[in-house]
Amino acid sequence: MAKELKATLLQLKNLQPYRRNLDKILRYLESEEGRDLIVAPEVCLTDYDYEHIEEAVAFGDEAERRLCAAVGRQILVLTRLVRREEGYANEAIVIHDHRVVHRQAKHRLFLLGEEDRHLVPGREEEIRPFEIDGVRYGLLICFELRFKELWKRLEGCEVIFVPSQWGLPRKRHLEILARALGVMNQCYVLVANSAREDMAASSLIASADGGLILEDMSETIRGELDLGLVKKIRRYIRMV
């Protein structure tokens, strides 16, 4: 297991046509080749394009294939619109070694954004730790960050990803909740938020000791995750 992970957060706007978003992520995969973790915002490929949802799903299928071909030793995290048996969903995918190694659909839909009118929720059981190369990861999608019972489901994770499209009026909530989760679960929390004008930005890396790397203006936020720090804090402050 690696003792240190190099992380890059992508703080992106949604562009039209969809292909421009995919091309930008593919370029970052090349330019950030030396980084271990790359996290992109929620629905970064197509936005919540409900009016053209079939087109968005079809493009997401194509994009997933191309991203799997491009991602080798790195770990790439993003969410995309998919068609499940029960209906359309917002599904997080984690890509590593040229394949999707973890999927989970957004369980807690954001009613203020009327997500429930267009999407079906994922099952709570999908929110669970998963392991890659000896590191234990977890994932929450945007609004799910607000729910303490979901934090508990990810106890023991060393790194929690939070791809988001978090609105500007609730900017401080995002920053406070992410740092609180890092301290409470004694882990790193990586938030990649949208850079759209009505979004909070505030992409950040929060650490188990309350440390913080936060950036509003840059399209890339970089940091190093010292997994030895997580181990040390858990040894001295026994909680999980």
Side-chain angles (χ1 to χ4, degrees), residues 176-191:
I176 292 167
L177 287 166
R179 294 185 78 177
L181 174 57
V183 171
M184 187 67 186
N185 280 36
Q186 298 176 315
C187 67
Y188 283 95
V189 178
L190 276 56
V191 176

Side-chain angles (χ1 to χ4, degrees), residues 191-202:
V191 176
N193 197 37
S194 171
R196 251 176 34 195
E197 288 75 9
D198 59 338
M199 293 291 126
S202 291

Side-chain angles (χ1 to χ4, degrees), residues 9-11 39-40 145 160-164 166 174 178-179 189-193 201-206 213 221:
L9 312 178
L10 303 181
Q11 191 161 246
V39 190
L145 182 60
I160 297 177
F161 303 116
V162 189
S164 299
W166 194 287
L174 174 60
R179 294 185 78 177
V189 178
L190 276 56
V191 176
N193 197 37
S202 291
S203 294
L204 62 86
I205 298 172
I213 299 171
I221 297 90

Side-chain angles (χ1 to χ4, degrees), residues 84 86 88-89 105-109 116 119-124 126:
R84 289 188 164 193
E86 320 87 75
Y88 297 106
K106 192 173 187 177
H107 170 60
R108 288 286 192 170
L109 301 179
D116 58 313
L119 304 174
V120 296
R123 294 176 292 107
E124 185 174 322
E126 295 179 53

Side-chain angles (χ1 to χ4, degrees), residues 222-233:
R222 298 178 183 88
E224 279 67 49
L225 315 186
D226 177 6
L227 299 182
L229 174 66
V230 172
K231 186 175 181 180
K232 179 180 178 181
I233 288 176

